[in-house]
Each structure stands twice: as structure tokens, then as C-alpha cells.
Amino acid sequence: MEDGNPSIEYPRFIDGERREPPEDVGSTSGFEEFLNVMAKPRHAQHREFVRWYGGRFDPEDLSVDIIQDRVAKMIKIQQDAV
């Protein structure tokens, strides 16, 4: 483990893979089922899952901009609390 660099603002997002599971999708097996159904438009439950989720789900879309915005908000909350 390395010491933090004083010229870098922490916390910060460095890297990631795939999106997080949606709220209330269940356990790991529930997320696997969700991914399977969402990836197959002809799956019997596909429409139901799309409606429940509110649209399509791309597990590869990491949404880096959204993550960076959330991290920036966490930093602001920490700074305001000090």
C-alpha cells in the first residue's frame, strides 16, 4: 500500500469493470438471471424485466461520468462536514 499523494484529491475513481447490479435485483444469482434475461430480447421475461428496470441495461456501460460526479459529491459532503 502506498501513501496518498498530497497533490491529488481523494477519494477518486481510478478504474472499473461493468456496471453494478440494479437495486432489488437480489443476490449474485439474481443479478446473473437479470443479465441473462436482459441480453435475450426473445426471453419470456424480457419485457417484464425491461419494464421493471425502466429501460435497457448494458452491463459494459460503466458510466464513468456518473461515477465521477458521485465521487465529487462525496468529496463536497466531506469538505462541508469539516
Side-chain angles (χ1 to χ4, degrees):
M1 187 166 161
E2 294 181 26
D3 290 337
N5 182 334
S7 66
I8 296 176
E9 202 167 336
Y10 295 97
R12 67 188 189 122
F13 173 71
I14 297 171
D15 195 11
E17 287 183 32
R18 303 186 87 191
R19 291 181 64 178
E20 77 280 359
E23 287 287 324
D24 298 329
V25 78
S27 63
T28 302
S29 61
F31 186 44
E32 289 172 5
E33 177 187 11
F34 175 79
L35 291 174
N36 182 42
V37 171
M38 294 297 271
K40 297 178 181 173
R42 292 186 175 192
H43 191 285
Q45 292 179 294
H46 183 79
R47 266 194 189 156
E48 175 186 343
F49 277 44
V50 169
R51 195 176 1 236
W52 172 80
Y53 180 67
R56 61 184 284 280
F57 183 85
D58 180 0
E60 302 303 321
D61 177 14
L62 192 56
S63 303
V64 172
D65 293 338
I66 293 172
I67 293 170
Q68 289 174 334
D69 286 345
R70 289 177 182 170
V71 170
K73 286 177 185 173
M74 287 181 354
I75 291 169
K76 183 169 178 4
I77 290 169
Q78 285 179 334
Q79 290 172 343
D80 290 348
V82 174

